[in-house]
Amino acid sequence: MKQKLYSILTLAVLVLASSCDNIADYDKDYTDLHDILNTAPPQITGIYDVSDTELTVPLSEGRAGMMIRIVGKDLNQVRSVRFLTADPELSAEADLTQAYTYYTSANVLVPEDIGQKVRQIEYTTDQGSVRYPFIIPFPQLQVITSQYILQGTSLTLYGKYFDKYKTLQAMDGDTRLELQSVTDATVTVRLQATDTPGVTLTWTDGDGQAQSRYIAIHPVQNLLYGDFSGTQFAKDGIQYTIEDDATLPQAAALGNPHLHITAALDAWAWKTLDLSQNMPYAIGSPQDYILVFEILTPTDTPLIPSESGNELILLQFNWDEMLRWSPGQGAGLNTNSQWMTVSMPLDGQNISAKDTWQTLRMILHPNTAWNADFRLANIRILHK
């Protein structure tokens, strides 16, 4: 019995050894996709969102900051991935330390600092380059409102996407002005010490086309009240006097009379001053115009902080929709005894036709007690 069992075990061992001799080495000729050598310039057959693992929806455009998957072949040994714009200097290059590439595809992060609309992707390896059409739209620069001090100081413009436009410049005639700061919502320009009638912003848009916008410093066309000689006033809790430049020797001269506004206000007061007269000129649709005026606050009596929904100053044409203003974007405003220009859109306002009666009401509505003391001048309506 023992002999028979020994024979069976011996046979099993021989059979197992024979089987092992027949096992194929399937890894013998396998090369990882990361290590396959390119044999030709790269080819791109499609671009996908990296989350589209089944490659079901090819993309023709994307957005800055997204991760895309480039599909094709001969994509190893990548040297650069560039996002090409009309102006080569505004193109951007992907950070290859954040890229994941292999022979048939590459995961690439679209850079955030592209300076214009992207039209193509350029993919370069050790064997050459290929360009593939791919759009990354670029936001349109918006100049919405402006607040600025007279010459010799600074001008701050408000809008959106200023920081994305690397071609942005400010010009005074043929003189290029210093951009002191540029954020998404504001651009601050250093003005010349000499008289500056206005500043021109220039930039190249997403399609590579030159654009410009002229901002007048203190234009006096389209004044609503001129020297206030024909204006009727009605007041409730607000005092006013009509003054000229001689009352403000420390401030830059405006050349026109201004209103000196004072009021002793409790918290949540609602006090008004109405200015009424015939509308001196015709305008088109109010949404195409802005209300503009100069304002001056003494250093020791700034406009105090306020908040959205409880704005400090409200303006209203013909008792219709209100223009709500929280000076300094809610932080308050101190012009330090210099004139500053303010503008705001007239969307939704009820502006009278030329030579018909019109009232502009100003409402002071502080949420804390406030001894108001400021000056207004050159109230006017200008086309955007």
Side-chain angles (χ1 to χ4, degrees):
M1 184 65 181
K2 290 183 178 179
Q3 181 65 35
K4 185 177 180 180
L5 179 60
Y6 176 78
S7 298
I8 292 172
L9 291 173
T10 302
L11 179 61
V13 171
L14 291 173
V15 171
L16 180 61
S18 176
S19 299
C20 289
D21 289 341
N22 294 325
I23 294 176
D25 184 1
Y26 292 106
D27 292 335
K28 182 178 179 181
D29 296 317
Y30 174 77
T31 302
D32 190 279
L33 287 175
H34 294 288
D35 300 322
I36 296 177
L37 297 177
N38 299 321
T39 59
Q43 296 182 37
I44 297 176
T45 58
I47 296 176
Y48 301 82
D49 190 299
V50 73
S51 64
D52 184 3
T53 56
E54 300 299 322
L55 305 182
T56 56
V57 183
L59 302 178
S60 60
E61 68 176 53
R63 67 184 186 279
M66 77 178 294
M67 181 71 79
I68 58 174
R69 185 176 182 182
I70 300 172
V71 175
K73 67 177 184 178
D74 289 298
L75 299 177
N76 266 335
Q77 290 79 52
V78 62
R79 297 291 187 263
S80 68
V81 181
R82 300 184 67 228
F83 294 81
L84 304 179
T85 63
D87 184 343
E89 293 186 3
L90 301 180
S91 300
E93 193 164 318
D95 182 357
L96 295 184
T97 65
Q98 300 186 59
Y100 180 76
T101 63
Y102 44 103
Y103 185 73
T104 56
S105 68
N107 294 346
V108 177
L109 185 66
V110 180
E112 294 276 5
D113 61 344
I114 301 168
Q116 204 174 71
K117 177 182 177 181
V118 169
R119 289 171 166 77
Q120 292 179 310
I121 292 179
E122 181 184 76
Y123 196 100
T124 301
T125 71
D126 60 334
Q127 296 293 317
S129 298
V130 64
R131 291 185 176 184
Y132 190 85
F134 191 69
I135 301 297
I136 299 177
F138 204 70
Q140 181 177 351
L141 188 146
Q142 301 173 27
V143 183
I144 301 172
T145 61
S146 58
Q147 297 181 350
Y148 42 93
I149 300 174
L150 294 179
Q151 58 270 8
T153 52
S154 299
L155 155 67
T156 298
L157 301 174
Y158 295 82
K160 281 190 71 64
Y161 308 122
F162 289 115
D163 59 345
K164 293 186 180 300
Y165 281 80
K166 300 176 183 179
T167 57
L168 184 67
Q169 294 184 17
M171 306 293 295
D172 177 6
D174 294 330
T175 302
R176 184 172 175 176
L177 303 176
E178 175 192 355
L179 299 183
Q180 292 179 295
S181 70
V182 181
T183 70
D184 175 70
T186 66
V187 57
T188 300
V189 180
R190 180 71 179 181
L191 301 180
Q192 299 188 88
T194 56
D195 184 44
T196 302
V199 169
T200 300
L201 280 185
T202 67
W203 68 94
T204 304
D205 68 14
D207 292 315
Q209 301 299 311
Q211 302 292 340
S212 66
R213 170 76 179 272
Y214 180 76
I215 299 96
I217 297 297
H218 54 107
V220 293
Q221 71 270 27
N222 287 6
L223 291 179
L224 287 177
Y225 306 109
D227 61 3
F228 301 103
S229 59
T231 306
Q232 293 185 13
F233 292 87
K235 59 183 181 179
D236 175 20
I238 297 178
Q239 304 301 315
Y240 73 92
T241 56
I242 299 173
E243 301 176 350
D244 58 27
D245 290 332
T247 64
L248 294 167
Q250 75 277 29
L254 291 179
N256 289 299
H258 62 264
L259 293 179
H260 185 186
I261 306 293
T262 57
L265 304 170
D266 296 328
W268 307 112
W270 185 274
K271 300 301 180 181
T272 64
L273 176 66
D274 295 344
L275 288 74
S276 301
Q277 67 174 49
N278 284 338
M279 177 65 180
Y281 48 86
I283 70 168
S285 174
Q287 68 183 14
D288 295 326
Y289 290 80
I290 53 176
L291 177 69
V292 186
F293 55 87
E294 266 75 56
I295 190 167
L296 180 149
T297 68
T299 303
D300 56 352
T301 57
L303 303 183
I304 63 175
S306 55
E307 58 189 15
S308 178
N310 290 301
E311 290 83 1
L312 182 66
I313 298 177
L314 303 94
L315 298 166
Q316 184 182 36
F317 283 91
N318 297 323
W319 301 279
D320 205 348
E321 185 172 336
M322 293 184 181
L323 296 171
R324 300 175 177 271
W325 185 37
S326 294
Q329 311 298 301
L333 180 65
N334 191 339
T335 75
N336 293 300
S337 297
Q338 293 295 319
W339 289 108
M340 173 180 280
T341 304
V342 175
S343 68
M344 54 187 68
L346 283 172
D347 303 38
Q349 293 301 302
N350 179 19
I351 307 299
S352 298
K354 182 181 179 181
D355 298 327
T356 60
W357 196 248
Q358 175 169 275
T359 296
L360 173 60
R361 166 165 286 184
M362 179 177 64
I363 303 162
L364 301 184
H365 180 53
N367 56 25
T368 60
W370 177 37
N371 288 321
D373 183 354
F374 60 93
R375 289 170 164 86
L376 294 178
N378 291 345
I379 302 170
R380 56 203 185 270
I381 293 177
L382 301 178
H383 199 281
K384 288 183 177 177

